[in-house]
Amino acid sequence: MKSCFKFIIFCAIIGVSYGFGISNPFAKKDKSVTETESNATTAGTIQQIKDCFEDYAELGCFANMAPWYSAFRPFPIPMSPKDIDAKIYLYTSKLPNERYTVKLWKNISIEGSDFDPKRPYTAFITHGFSSNGNKSWVNDLKDAYLKNREANVFIVDWGKGASVWNYLQVAANTRVVGAELKRFAKYLVDDWQLDPAHIHFMGHSLGAHISAYAAKGVSGVGQLTAFDPAQPGFEGSPMDVRLTKNDAKFVDVIHTNIRPVIPLLGFGLILPTGHIDYYMNGGALQPGCVAPPINEVNLTSILDLGKISVDVISSWVACSHGKSYEYYTEALLSDNCTFWGHSTGYFGTAVDIATFGKLGLVLEKFDKCTLDKCSPIGLEAETYPARGAFSISTNTKSPYCESKPKIDEQMRELLQKRLLQGDNVETKNNTKGTLGTLKDYFKSSS
């Protein structure tokens, strides 16, 4: 009971900190360097020649020091691009089942491909740890996307670098993959005149942060969709090393596994980090999924993750962690059902996280949907004006979407009316309430 109470207080504090725009109060300060960090920094200094990889100079160097290294982020230097062996495959609306392999080195080439920069959308799908670009969910999402949009869809496959040794090494490898993806995206913008506003990055777990690294390097990216972005080593870290809502014009995030990694083995980011953050079934543990064996593992620090293979960790967290992309794919495929998120606000989000989403799910049953209070998962999310954190409940099994035809009809009528009236009012950030008002007050007073 005491530990549960402490966790509620912890979540409330970080939630309130987020509401005021304060940095994570539990994040390590730069001045307090542990012996482990000091040793690793020294090792990083010694290896700095090796982290500027020969034949891959365009990617830059990857030194093992702040902000990429801290006590909360004890990652080693990334593997070389050659060993990670990232690949990018292209599919298009014209050739949805024909894979084209992009030439990445030494010079990039998409000669002979069906890529067309004039298509309305160019999307990238990036998997996470212990996965690869041939997984069925990746191809299911690709097919669902092409069903709904005329687009170029690139699949980023870094399977070799995502499955080695342990999570700490795999997480470190995201820096290299992000640099490769950024290099390729810039090539499309510079050499093919692709409009960055037409780019839509999508990534799961560590793939969400890889997408963020690429988006940070291409000005004006239209959208970034994150499926339960990885938590260990990223929660509370500086904005340069993790996903933030500044990475694209519109960032939507689906949370499905927000239990703290220490000691509960949750793997998804806990705090809101996008323009819209959907907390599915509370965001902690999804219906039909079993909690990891925390009593057997006994995690005491993130360093303990270095003792467990990525395959074992994946088997423990895959169910809830992976539901994020399953919900999104179903949202794209469903013609008669919409996942409607109900706004929670800053304070509501803090309490919701502390109660593993139970409060939000209760309030959702009684809250009426309006354009300022509800937002749908999927490709129409940006069209609706509501912004902030939202709670969504689902069915235990597929189809996951809970049918609410009256809300579907009501919301579409409200949106159509708004568009017909030419209402260009700015999108509503549903994080106001008490804390939102106070946040505005402190901003104006500073």
Side-chain angles (χ1 to χ4, degrees):
M1 182 63 72
K2 288 184 179 180
S3 61
C4 181
F5 178 74
K6 288 179 180 178
F7 177 62
I8 291 176
I9 296 299
F10 170 81
C11 287
I13 290 174
I14 57 177
V16 170
S17 299
Y18 175 81
F20 285 116
I22 302 171
S23 60
N24 182 355
F26 297 94
K28 175 183 170 294
K29 306 301 181 184
D30 292 340
K31 293 182 179 180
S32 56
V33 181
T34 65
E35 182 178 352
T36 301
E37 180 177 357
S38 178
N39 291 340
T41 302
T42 301
T45 301
I46 295 173
Q47 297 180 47
Q48 279 184 20
I49 294 177
K50 294 184 179 179
D51 65 35
C52 297
F53 301 108
E54 188 177 356
D55 296 329
Y56 299 92
E58 290 180 58
L59 300 182
C61 298
F62 303 90
N64 195 10
M65 56 184 64
W68 301 99
Y69 183 93
S70 74
F72 288 93
R73 193 183 163 85
F75 295 168
I77 289 175
M79 294 164 52
S80 75
K82 181 178 180 180
D83 292 332
I84 293 174
D85 193 25
K87 295 180 173 63
I88 297 179
Y89 307 119
L90 169 65
Y91 297 86
T92 68
S93 299
K94 183 179 178 181
L95 301 172
N97 299 311
E98 186 173 319
R99 171 187 283 189
Y100 174 89
T101 302
V102 175
K103 181 179 181 293
L104 292 175
W105 297 99
K106 291 184 177 180
N107 297 315
I108 300 174
S109 174
I110 52 175
E111 183 181 352
S113 76
D114 186 48
F115 175 76
D116 184 352
K118 295 182 180 179
R119 287 193 172 103
Y121 298 94
T122 293
F124 296 83
I125 302 173
T126 307
H127 62 82
F129 70 93
S130 189
S131 188
N132 60 68
N134 293 313
K135 291 291 184 179
S136 59
W137 76 263
V138 175
N139 287 282
D140 290 344
L141 177 56
K142 176 262 296 182
D143 292 340
Y145 199 92
L146 289 175
K147 175 188 173 184
N148 285 271
R149 286 179 165 177
E150 183 182 353
N152 310 292
V153 176
F154 292 98
I155 291 177
V156 182
D157 185 350
W158 60 293
K160 287 187 178 180
S163 303
V164 298
W165 309 329
N166 57 55
Y167 173 83
L168 302 183
Q169 181 63 62
V170 173
N173 292 344
T174 60
R175 298 171 63 186
V176 168
V177 184
E180 291 224 44
L181 183 53
K182 178 182 72 174
R183 174 176 176 260
F184 179 62
K186 285 177 69 66
Y187 161 79
L188 296 179
V189 171
D190 295 340
D191 289 33
W192 288 78
Q193 288 72 55
L194 173 65
D195 186 347
H198 297 170
I199 294 177
H200 184 184
F201 286 110
M202 294 178 280
H204 172 239
S205 188
L206 290 175
H209 297 295
I210 289 173
S211 300
Y213 296 158
K216 291 177 196 294
V218 181
S219 178
V221 168
Q223 184 173 357
L224 196 166
T225 300
F227 309 121
D228 211 33
Q231 174 194 153
F234 295 91
E235 188 83 62
S237 293
M239 293 170 52
D240 288 348
V241 304
R242 62 175 173 85
L243 170 77
T244 79
K245 67 179 181 181
N246 299 319
D247 297 332
K249 293 181 179 179
F250 180 67
V251 177
D252 51 332
V253 186
I254 299 177
H255 300 268
T256 55
N257 193 209
I258 66 169
R259 293 155 59 95
V261 66
I262 308 298
L264 301 181
L265 263 174
F267 254 72
L269 282 182
I270 297 174
L271 292 179
T273 190
H275 294 98
I276 296 181
D277 288 78
Y278 302 100
Y279 289 85
M280 311 299 297
N281 300 297
L285 187 66
Q286 299 307 300
C289 296
V290 179
I294 58 176
N295 293 331
E296 298 176 20
V297 183
N298 191 29
L299 291 181
T300 58
S301 78
I302 189 174
L303 287 171
D304 290 335
L305 293 178
K307 306 171 185 176
I308 309 170
S309 73
V310 289
D311 290 338
V312 171
I313 292 177
S314 180
S315 68
W316 288 338
V317 305
C319 187
S320 287
H321 202 37
K323 280 290 194 292
S324 52
Y325 52 70
E326 290 186 32
Y327 295 146
Y328 192 83
T329 301
E330 183 176 304
L332 268 57
L333 292 174
S334 180
D335 295 324
N336 55 10
C337 189
T338 301
F339 292 87
W340 287 108
H342 293 251
S343 173
T344 55
Y346 277 131
F347 185 75
T349 300
V351 177
D352 207 24
I353 291 172
T355 60
F356 289 138
K358 301 304 181 185
L359 177 64
L361 293 179
V362 171
L363 294 177
E364 180 184 337
K365 303 298 182 183
F366 302 98
D367 196 17
K368 182 181 179 180
C369 260
T370 65
L371 289 180
D372 292 345
K373 290 185 177 181
C374 293
S375 177
I377 284 181
L379 301 179
E380 294 184 338
E382 188 177 9
T383 306
Y384 286 81
R387 298 290 183 265
F390 298 82
S391 178
I392 300 181
S393 59
T394 72
N395 295 320
T396 302
K397 298 180 180 179
S398 182
Y400 298 110
C401 184
E402 295 181 339
S403 181
K404 300 175 182 177
K406 290 185 178 180
I407 293 180
D408 292 348
E409 182 179 359
Q410 173 191 356
M411 290 296 287
R412 283 175 174 78
E413 287 180 354
L414 288 173
L415 180 63
Q416 184 177 22
K417 181 179 179 181
R418 179 177 185 268
L419 295 175
L420 288 174
Q421 291 176 341
D423 186 357
N424 293 319
V425 178
E426 291 184 4
T427 54
K428 303 294 183 180
N429 189 329
N430 290 314
T431 52
K432 288 255 177 175
T434 305
L435 288 177
T437 304
L438 288 174
K439 179 183 179 183
D440 291 343
Y441 170 77
F442 278 104
K443 275 188 175 180
S444 61
S445 301
S446 59

